[in-house]
Amino acid sequence: MKIDEQIKQPIAYEMELFEQKFLLSMSSKVALLNRITTFIVNRKGKQMRPMFVFLVAKMVNNGNVSERTYRGAAVIELIHTATLVHDDVVDDSNRRRGFFSVNALWKNKIAVLIGDYLLSKGLLLSIDNNDFDLLKIISVAVREMSEGELLQIEKARQLDITEDVYYEIIRQKTATLIAACCSLGAASVKPNAPDVETMRKFGELIGMAFQIKDDLFDYGNEAIGKPTGIDIKERKMTLPLIYAINNSTKKEKSWLINSVKNHNKDRKRVKAVIAFVKSKGGLEYAVSKMLEFQDEALLLLNAYPESQFKASLLLMVNYVIDRKK
């Protein structure tokens, strides 16, 4: 059995019901909208976000979920999907998960409007059911994701990024959404309980580890579809690169920054940067930091009694670290 199927096993019933509710939550009287939302749903990924919501809810609440849990999972997936549709427009990307993106098939104007529609659907799903605590969790995540993206763009222009700034960027850009999933799961069944903050922290730590793993793929892995050096070409300052810059001579540092700033489209130069970062121990340092975040996340799970839901969350934590793409 594949690892994602193993993780999903204790919540298989909830995930099946969630898919039906999720499609309903997107429905509209406009035929074009329904055609596009059906296209989006049929090309879903691993659905890690709703899985986090249901596993956390069941772990903290003796295996029980509520209607609020389904709404929380639907809201997070609606808003996450909206951000992906908008991201493809911003990045001028024609592919998403191996298929054509919405903007590739229906052009940018429709894609932006679809993203707006999904966002409003998510907000209304919470408002109509008085889930204001869940809405606050999600709204904070959306604000932080936008800030993280803009902070990254600002720093890519100047390339003056420290390790602390890097952690802040990935916390906002990536970790905040996984943190929202986990705190939503807890809040949906135990509003105002300490579990809500504990699980938010747990999700944030997983998100940090997840993003560092993503950064490491840029330095070569045959199993992934992402071409190596793509972050360097996009002038993204990742942890292995920051470590190499911080542990270089003045001359090496100047060459590295100049390479990323002015020669990031030169394949030979990008290869040389990758080799230099490896020689400086940048990859080993990033792996050690990733494992620190993983250990902190696992510590938070220790406080909960053994259950199949906790076992699945442990599998999820390890999957984030061990995945090959």
Side-chain angles (χ1 to χ4, degrees):
M1 193 189 288
K2 281 186 183 168
I3 184 133
D4 49 325
E5 285 168 12
Q6 271 179 270
I7 293 165
K8 209 184 265 194
Q9 226 178 354
I11 50 163
Y13 169 77
E14 285 80 5
M15 288 299 291
E16 209 170 297
L17 189 54
F18 162 74
E19 284 195 28
Q20 297 164 23
K21 288 175 183 276
F22 182 56
L23 189 55
L24 272 175
S25 70
M26 286 207 253
S27 66
S28 157
K29 292 188 177 79
V30 179
L32 175 63
L33 254 170
N34 286 333
R35 197 154 70 243
I36 297 171
T37 52
T38 303
F39 169 82
I40 290 168
V41 168
N42 288 341
R43 279 147 193 81
K44 62 183 182 289
K46 290 190 176 72
Q47 293 190 301
M48 273 175 70
R49 277 150 290 274
M51 281 158 68
F52 270 125
V53 175
F54 288 113
L55 286 171
V56 167
K58 293 193 109 180
M59 182 184 74
V60 304
N61 197 40
N62 303 318
N64 299 309
V65 297
S66 67
E67 268 307 310
R68 265 165 59 90
T69 315
Y70 286 100
R71 288 198 297 270
V75 168
I76 208 98
E77 200 67 345
L78 281 164
I79 287 173
H80 172 63
T81 308
T83 62
L84 294 184
V85 172
H86 281 167
D87 278 352
D88 286 339
V89 174
V90 170
D91 298 338
D92 202 15
S93 174
N94 291 325
R95 312 286 289 182
R96 167 70 61 184
R97 297 189 184 118
F99 298 98
F100 283 116
S101 56
V102 173
N103 52 304
L105 293 172
W106 285 281
K107 302 292 177 258
N108 284 351
K109 186 175 180 179
I110 287 177
V112 169
L113 292 169
I114 289 288
D116 292 347
Y117 174 77
L118 295 174
L119 192 63
S120 67
K121 273 289 199 181
L123 300 176
L124 284 168
L125 185 61
S126 294
I127 292 164
D128 290 346
N129 291 284
N130 295 322
D131 295 332
F132 297 112
D133 55 335
L134 305 187
L135 183 58
K136 186 174 181 182
I137 290 169
I138 291 153
S139 300
V140 167
V142 173
R143 183 198 70 205
E144 294 209 323
M145 283 156 65
S146 309
E147 284 178 350
E149 285 286 357
L150 288 163
L151 179 58
Q152 186 171 51
I153 290 165
E154 181 192 321
K155 293 298 175 184
R157 286 179 180 162
Q158 292 144 19
L159 297 185
D160 60 343
I161 184 166
T162 61
E163 200 172 315
D164 285 345
V165 170
Y166 164 81
Y167 290 134
E168 185 55 17
I169 288 171
I170 69 166
R171 187 191 67 74
Q172 291 187 316
K173 216 180 81 124
T174 304
T176 192
L177 189 66
I178 300 176
C181 295
C182 296
S183 58
L184 262 179
S188 72
V189 287
K190 288 177 121 182
N192 306 316
D195 300 290
V196 178
E197 176 52 25
T198 304
M199 287 295 102
R200 185 202 67 76
K201 189 66 191 159
F202 167 76
E204 186 174 280
L205 291 163
I206 301 291
M208 300 292 276
F210 183 92
Q211 187 55 56
I212 295 172
K213 178 72 173 187
D214 236 33
D215 290 353
L216 286 162
F217 286 142
D218 204 46
Y219 291 85
N221 184 329
E222 300 73 52
I224 59 164
K226 182 181 173 186
T228 55
I230 202 160
D231 288 337
I232 295 165
K233 287 170 193 153
E234 291 175 4
R235 293 170 61 159
K236 283 181 186 162
M237 297 289 274
T238 57
L239 191 54
L241 183 60
I242 293 163
Y243 180 81
I245 287 172
N246 290 342
N247 290 275
S248 296
T249 64
K250 206 173 174 187
K251 192 178 171 186
E252 288 168 337
K253 188 176 179 176
S254 166
W255 173 82
L256 259 181
I257 290 175
N258 182 36
S259 300
V260 177
K261 214 170 196 170
N262 303 313
H263 303 280
N264 53 9
K265 301 288 188 281
D266 177 341
R267 283 174 71 179
K268 241 173 114 177
R269 191 78 169 250
V270 168
K271 264 189 172 171
V273 169
I274 289 172
F276 182 80
V277 169
K278 286 179 176 175
S279 74
K280 284 289 181 182
L283 303 197
E284 289 83 354
Y285 181 75
V287 167
S288 71
K289 286 292 174 186
M290 176 179 73
L291 295 175
E292 277 178 33
F293 286 119
Q294 180 193 26
D295 289 344
E296 274 190 70
L298 294 173
L299 266 178
L300 290 174
L301 281 186
N302 284 349
Y304 292 90
E306 296 307 313
S307 69
Q308 53 182 330
F309 317 111
K310 178 180 169 178
S312 271
L313 282 169
L314 286 167
L315 264 180
M316 191 90 108
V317 174
N318 295 326
Y319 166 70
V320 161
I321 301 297
D322 300 333
R323 68 200 165 101
K324 298 288 182 275
K325 59 178 178 176

